[in-house]
PDB file of all heavy atoms in Angstrom:
ATOM      1  N   ASP A 129     -14.113   3.295   2.571  1.00 97.00           N
ATOM      2  CA  ASP A 129     -14.539   2.065   1.897  1.00 97.00           C
ATOM      3  C   ASP A 129     -13.299   1.397   1.317  1.00 97.00           C
ATOM      4  O   ASP A 129     -12.734   1.847   0.333  1.00 97.00           O
ATOM      5  CB  ASP A 129     -15.542   2.425   0.791  1.00 97.00           C
ATOM      6  CG  ASP A 129     -16.039   1.191   0.050  1.00 97.00           C
ATOM      7  OD1 ASP A 129     -15.935   0.079   0.616  1.00 97.00           O
ATOM      8  OD2 ASP A 129     -16.530   1.349  -1.085  1.00 97.00           O
ATOM      9  N   SER A 130     -12.871   0.306   1.951  1.00 97.00           N
ATOM     10  CA  SER A 130     -11.620  -0.352   1.562  1.00 97.00           C
ATOM     11  C   SER A 130     -11.812  -1.221   0.322  1.00 97.00           C
ATOM     12  O   SER A 130     -12.864  -1.822   0.142  1.00 97.00           O
ATOM     13  CB  SER A 130     -11.139  -1.233   2.718  1.00 97.00           C
ATOM     14  OG  SER A 130     -10.045  -2.017   2.323  1.00 97.00           O
ATOM     15  N   PRO A 131     -10.798  -1.304  -0.541  1.00 97.00           N
ATOM     16  CA  PRO A 131     -10.854  -2.304  -1.606  1.00 97.00           C
ATOM     17  C   PRO A 131     -10.615  -3.695  -1.019  1.00 97.00           C
ATOM     18  O   PRO A 131     -10.165  -3.818   0.117  1.00 97.00           O
ATOM     19  CB  PRO A 131      -9.713  -1.897  -2.532  1.00 97.00           C
ATOM     20  CG  PRO A 131      -8.774  -1.111  -1.695  1.00 97.00           C
ATOM     21  CD  PRO A 131      -9.587  -0.487  -0.598  1.00 97.00           C
ATOM     22  N   ALA A 132     -10.916  -4.731  -1.790  1.00 96.00           N
ATOM     23  CA  ALA A 132     -10.636  -6.102  -1.354  1.00 96.00           C
ATOM     24  C   ALA A 132      -9.125  -6.313  -1.340  1.00 96.00           C
ATOM     25  O   ALA A 132      -8.371  -5.510  -1.881  1.00 96.00           O
ATOM     26  CB  ALA A 132     -11.311  -7.097  -2.294  1.00 96.00           C
ATOM     27  N   GLY A 133      -8.712  -7.416  -0.740  1.00 95.00           N
ATOM     28  CA  GLY A 133      -7.290  -7.746  -0.704  1.00 95.00           C
ATOM     29  C   GLY A 133      -6.620  -7.169   0.521  1.00 95.00           C
ATOM     30  O   GLY A 133      -7.262  -6.593   1.398  1.00 95.00           O
ATOM     31  N   ILE A 134      -5.288  -7.374   0.580  1.00 93.00           N
ATOM     32  CA  ILE A 134      -4.533  -6.851   1.713  1.00 93.00           C
ATOM     33  C   ILE A 134      -3.371  -6.009   1.205  1.00 93.00           C
ATOM     34  O   ILE A 134      -2.420  -5.760   1.901  1.00 93.00           O
ATOM     35  CB  ILE A 134      -4.010  -7.992   2.619  1.00 93.00           C
ATOM     36  CG1 ILE A 134      -3.234  -9.032   1.806  1.00 93.00           C
ATOM     37  CG2 ILE A 134      -5.147  -8.665   3.353  1.00 93.00           C
ATOM     38  CD1 ILE A 134      -2.546 -10.073   2.645  1.00 93.00           C
ATOM     39  N   GLU A 135      -3.466  -5.569  -0.064  1.00 94.00           N
ATOM     40  CA  GLU A 135      -2.362  -4.814  -0.638  1.00 94.00           C
ATOM     41  C   GLU A 135      -2.522  -3.325  -0.352  1.00 94.00           C
ATOM     42  O   GLU A 135      -3.311  -2.921   0.473  1.00 94.00           O
ATOM     43  CB  GLU A 135      -2.244  -5.100  -2.144  1.00 94.00           C
ATOM     44  CG  GLU A 135      -1.645  -6.468  -2.445  1.00 94.00           C
ATOM     45  CD  GLU A 135      -2.658  -7.589  -2.300  1.00 94.00           C
ATOM     46  OE1 GLU A 135      -3.861  -7.307  -2.477  1.00 94.00           O
ATOM     47  OE2 GLU A 135      -2.263  -8.722  -1.980  1.00 94.00           O
ATOM     48  N   LYS A 136      -1.812  -2.531  -1.117  1.00 94.00           N
ATOM     49  CA  LYS A 136      -1.655  -1.113  -0.801  1.00 94.00           C
ATOM     50  C   LYS A 136      -2.971  -0.369  -0.530  1.00 94.00           C
ATOM     51  O   LYS A 136      -3.082   0.344   0.460  1.00 94.00           O
ATOM     52  CB  LYS A 136      -0.901  -0.424  -1.939  1.00 94.00           C
ATOM     53  CG  LYS A 136      -0.452   0.967  -1.550  1.00 94.00           C
ATOM     54  CD  LYS A 136       0.462   1.566  -2.582  1.00 94.00           C
ATOM     55  CE  LYS A 136       0.921   2.938  -2.125  1.00 94.00           C
ATOM     56  NZ  LYS A 136       1.706   3.627  -3.129  1.00 94.00           N
ATOM     57  N   GLY A 137      -3.965  -0.554  -1.408  1.00 95.00           N
ATOM     58  CA  GLY A 137      -5.222   0.177  -1.239  1.00 95.00           C
ATOM     59  C   GLY A 137      -5.883  -0.152   0.086  1.00 95.00           C
ATOM     60  O   GLY A 137      -6.304   0.735   0.837  1.00 95.00           O
ATOM     61  N   ALA A 138      -5.959  -1.446   0.400  1.00 96.00           N
ATOM     62  CA  ALA A 138      -6.590  -1.882   1.644  1.00 96.00           C
ATOM     63  C   ALA A 138      -5.752  -1.424   2.834  1.00 96.00           C
ATOM     64  O   ALA A 138      -6.288  -1.028   3.878  1.00 96.00           O
ATOM     65  CB  ALA A 138      -6.725  -3.402   1.656  1.00 96.00           C
ATOM     66  N   HIS A 139      -4.449  -1.461   2.672  1.00 96.00           N
ATOM     67  CA  HIS A 139      -3.554  -1.044   3.742  1.00 96.00           C
ATOM     68  C   HIS A 139      -3.757   0.437   4.081  1.00 96.00           C
ATOM     69  O   HIS A 139      -3.878   0.818   5.243  1.00 96.00           O
ATOM     70  CB  HIS A 139      -2.108  -1.316   3.323  1.00 96.00           C
ATOM     71  CG  HIS A 139      -1.117  -0.989   4.385  1.00 96.00           C
ATOM     72  ND1 HIS A 139      -0.506   0.235   4.463  1.00 96.00           N
ATOM     73  CD2 HIS A 139      -0.667  -1.709   5.438  1.00 96.00           C
ATOM     74  CE1 HIS A 139       0.293   0.248   5.516  1.00 96.00           C
ATOM     75  NE2 HIS A 139       0.218  -0.910   6.127  1.00 96.00           N
ATOM     76  N   LEU A 140      -3.811   1.264   3.031  1.00 97.00           N
ATOM     77  CA  LEU A 140      -3.979   2.699   3.273  1.00 97.00           C
ATOM     78  C   LEU A 140      -5.363   3.015   3.839  1.00 97.00           C
ATOM     79  O   LEU A 140      -5.516   3.932   4.640  1.00 97.00           O
ATOM     80  CB  LEU A 140      -3.746   3.483   1.979  1.00 97.00           C
ATOM     81  CG  LEU A 140      -2.284   3.554   1.541  1.00 97.00           C
ATOM     82  CD1 LEU A 140      -2.174   4.202   0.171  1.00 97.00           C
ATOM     83  CD2 LEU A 140      -1.446   4.309   2.553  1.00 97.00           C
TER      84      LEU A 140
END
Side-chain angles (χ1 to χ4, degrees):
Chain A
D129 180 21
S130 172
I134 53 172
E135 285 79 27
K136 192 171 182 185
H139 183 267
L140 287 173

